[in-house]
Amino acid sequence: NEIRWIESELTAVIDKAEVALLNDKTEDIYQRGENIVRPVKISVPTTGAVRRPNGALILKQVEPHYLIERFTNTATWLKHESRKNRWIEIGCPRLVVDVYLSRVGKWKLPVLRAVVQHPVMEPGGRIITTHGYDQNTGLLIDIHGKWPIKKNPVRDDAVAAVECFRQLLRYYPWSTNIDFSVALSLIISPLARVMLPSTPLHAVDAPEAGTGKSMLVNVASILATGNNAVVMDYGRDPDEAEKRLNGLLLSGDPFIAIDNVEHPLEGAALCQTVSEEARQIRQFGKLDSVKVPMTAFLTATGNNLVISKDLIRRSLVCRLNAKTERPELRAIDQDLLAEVKERRNELVCHALTIMAAYQHAGTPKVVDAPLGSFEDWSRMVRSAIVWAGEADPVKSQEFTQSEDPAKEALHAIFSAWNLVIGKDPVTVAEVIRRCENNQELHDAISLVAARRGNLDGKALGYWLMANKD
């Protein structure tokens, strides 16, 4: 394939370069959102605030120098040498790459939604088991080996699959049967994530360290990706946490674990990531932002984890309670992660069976109403779990809502306000003044407006506006 570099014919030259790139099958290259990316496996585990295990598969944004090399290798580039009136070989000019990268929305590269490392079930029950890029779904399916998919499964098959997971997780101390259902959803939902516009955040909570929270998350991650979860620290600074999360989303990490959360978990970025189909994300070191499809599955762990505000209705919490001061000393005759890795293909197929059997049965109605913002997940995962005879995982939200510190503050302020102020209209300054003579009102207002040991009128004003009506 020969391309003659004539700057006045730049558009035609770039078109030819793209055709040569599309015809080259030596390496995968795709468009995702507003970036050109290529799949890369991490050869060395990363440490720090974001930790990826060895072998983690990510999507790396294609940089100009890489694309110069690709264009140069996929065609013979020629430039006219006027002195000797001949064409000589050159590398792909930088101008070609710069203009090509600016053609957002006009690339002919295959559109990539996500990379998955397991068979994929489409709505309706059909399961894709072919390795490679699937044009209909926009998925790059990276799977190997045999997958014992059950054909035309029925409810008895789904019930048997659930019992298989109950046996696998037999040493886990569920607080209630609802908590097992949330754990089941934690296992199944990542396998459905790429076919759904949204899935709730799944959290694992316990009163003590050593109960197996991170291990349960890694069970789900191994089934979905073949590897332990990619872990990020949330920390105290929500802006830094958002930057870490955005970096993982840009890299296409499919399974993200927010580990050992010590403060109330909340924030617009988390809410948007779990409930929206795409997000505008600002790239690190750049002024512009890019639109990225939301296909990552999010989990969180913590001791007496608190989920707050708008994230409550977007989350399911699995509560573990070993009822012992040192749960890590319990006698457990099982190497759970080793067993999951050994049986991965079989267990993934069990999870797919639960969903597929429900689809083949015609998706009978088993819950009163879908969970808002997660209607498709309710139909594919939640309803399948309930249909197989288990508790509704969404009922875990009742406990989470009762533990919400934002709601507790609201109730405390309403109670004190009613006793001290009543229905009289007052200014923020008057409220702050009345707090000086009433400890109950002062303590209540302090929950939302304390700044450096004093009550702050501006903070109280913002809180009042946020809770209008």
Side-chain angles (χ1 to χ4, degrees):
N1 190 21
E2 188 177 277
I3 300 177
R4 297 195 171 193
W5 170 231
I6 303 172
E7 190 168 346
S8 61
E9 299 177 5
L10 179 62
T11 298
V13 169
I14 294 174
D15 290 342
K16 290 178 181 178
E18 184 175 48
V19 170
L21 188 65
L22 292 170
N23 290 335
D24 178 44
K25 304 299 182 182
T26 60
E27 189 173 348
D28 296 324
I29 188 168
Y30 304 91
Q31 56 176 309
R32 178 177 182 257
E34 298 173 0
N35 282 332
I36 297 177
V37 299
R38 58 190 180 98
V40 174
K41 278 193 176 180
I42 299 294
S43 57
V44 178
T46 59
T47 59
V50 173
R51 301 179 290 282
R52 287 192 181 96
N54 183 30
L57 186 63
I58 65 169
L59 297 174
K60 187 171 179 61
Q61 184 176 344
V62 168
E63 300 291 346
H65 287 99
Y66 176 82
L67 200 53
I68 288 174
E69 182 183 23
R70 288 297 310 277
F71 275 155
T72 298
N73 291 337
T74 55
T76 301
W77 290 78
L78 300 174
K79 178 183 179 181
H80 189 258
E81 189 181 58
S82 55
R83 278 192 311 159
K84 296 185 178 180
N85 193 27
R86 63 174 184 173
W87 292 88
I88 60 172
E89 282 194 32
I90 60 169
C92 171
R94 175 64 185 257
L95 180 60
V96 171
V97 168
D98 288 342
V99 175
Y100 182 71
L101 288 174
S102 73
R103 286 183 168 184
V104 178
K106 295 183 179 179
W107 298 311
K108 295 180 181 178
L109 296 169
V111 176
L112 181 65
R113 177 168 167 77
V115 179
V116 295
Q117 295 175 283
H118 57 79
V120 175
M121 194 190 84
E122 294 182 305
R126 189 178 81 90
I127 297 175
I128 305 171
T129 57
T130 305
H131 176 87
Y133 176 73
D134 184 73
Q135 188 171 2
N136 292 331
T137 61
L139 299 177
L140 177 59
I141 302 174
D142 179 31
I143 56 175
H144 306 278
K146 295 182 179 180
W147 300 84
I149 303 289
K150 195 167 190 67
K151 294 183 179 179
N152 302 315
V154 296
R155 186 175 182 276
D156 286 347
D157 298 315
V159 171
V162 169
E163 289 306 311
C164 173
F165 286 115
R166 199 188 311 277
Q167 172 63 18
L168 178 74
L169 305 175
R170 60 189 177 276
Y171 288 110
Y172 269 92
W174 318 112
S175 291
T176 68
N177 60 343
I178 295 173
D179 298 293
F180 172 71
S181 289
V182 176
L184 200 56
S185 179
L186 169 64
I187 287 171
I188 299 173
S189 296
L191 303 175
R193 178 65 183 97
V194 291
M195 298 306 298
L196 299 172
S198 58
T199 52
L201 178 143
H202 286 59
V204 187
D205 175 35
E208 298 284 350
T211 315
K213 301 181 297 296
S214 296
M215 185 178 292
L216 183 58
V217 166
N218 279 328
V219 166
S221 179
I222 290 168
L223 294 181
T225 69
N227 227 325
N228 287 350
V230 174
V231 175
M232 66 165 275
D233 295 333
Y234 200 73
R236 293 177 177 272
D237 187 342
D239 291 334
E240 285 300 315
E242 182 174 348
K243 289 177 184 176
R244 292 170 194 152
L245 177 62
N246 288 347
L248 293 171
L249 297 174
L250 285 168
S251 297
D253 287 276
F255 194 109
I256 301 170
I258 305 171
D259 195 36
N260 290 324
V261 179
E262 297 179 348
H263 306 279
L265 192 62
E266 57 183 307
L270 283 175
C271 290
Q272 292 166 7
T273 300
V274 298
S275 62
E276 297 187 8
E277 292 191 56
R279 273 186 57 206
Q280 286 289 142
I281 295 178
R282 183 175 173 180
Q283 302 180 91
F284 182 73
K286 298 182 180 180
L287 295 176
D288 60 326
S289 62
V290 294
K291 192 174 184 179
V292 177
M294 293 293 98
T295 57
F297 181 78
L298 263 61
T299 69
T301 62
N303 296 323
N304 290 320
L305 176 68
V306 175
I307 295 176
S308 184
K309 298 181 180 178
D310 289 346
L311 193 60
I312 290 176
R313 72 170 188 85
R314 295 173 168 89
S315 303
L316 306 178
V317 180
C318 169
R319 176 78 171 173
L320 308 175
N321 190 353
K323 298 180 181 179
T324 176
E325 190 175 346
R326 299 289 302 278
E328 73 275 12
L329 298 180
R330 290 173 298 154
I332 296 176
D333 184 23
Q334 181 189 33
D335 187 341
L336 179 58
L337 296 186
E339 182 178 346
V340 171
K341 288 177 181 178
E342 182 180 349
R343 299 175 57 195
R344 180 181 178 237
N345 290 21
E346 170 205 345
L347 293 170
V348 167
C349 291
H350 282 320
L352 295 173
T353 292
I354 296 169
M355 292 189 291
Y358 178 67
Q359 294 294 316
H360 289 311
T363 63
K365 184 177 179 180
V366 291
V367 296
D368 293 334
L371 180 62
S373 301
F374 305 100
E375 291 81 1
D376 290 340
W377 170 84
S378 286
R379 283 186 285 267
M380 184 173 283
V381 180
R382 174 196 182 190
S383 293
I385 291 172
V386 176
W387 178 72
E390 300 305 309
D392 184 354
V394 172
K395 288 186 177 179
S396 67
Q397 291 185 343
E398 295 175 5
F399 177 79
T400 311
Q401 289 170 347
S402 69
E403 296 290 305
D404 179 17
K407 187 169 288 186
E408 289 180 2
L410 188 71
H411 290 168
I413 291 172
F414 280 175
S415 176
W417 193 296
N418 184 54
L419 288 173
V420 179
I421 299 173
K423 297 182 178 180
D424 297 333
V426 290
T427 64
V428 167
E430 175 65 13
V431 175
I432 299 294
R433 189 188 66 78
R434 294 201 188 188
C435 286
E436 297 174 1
N437 300 316
N438 189 283
Q439 190 63 41
E440 184 177 354
L441 182 61
H442 181 280
D443 292 346
I445 298 297
S446 295
L447 294 172
V448 299
R451 299 292 184 270
R452 298 179 181 177
N454 298 311
L455 296 183
D456 184 85
K458 185 177 289 187
L460 178 58
Y462 284 139
W463 184 88
L464 291 168
M465 285 189 288
N467 288 279
K468 183 180 178 181
D469 294 330

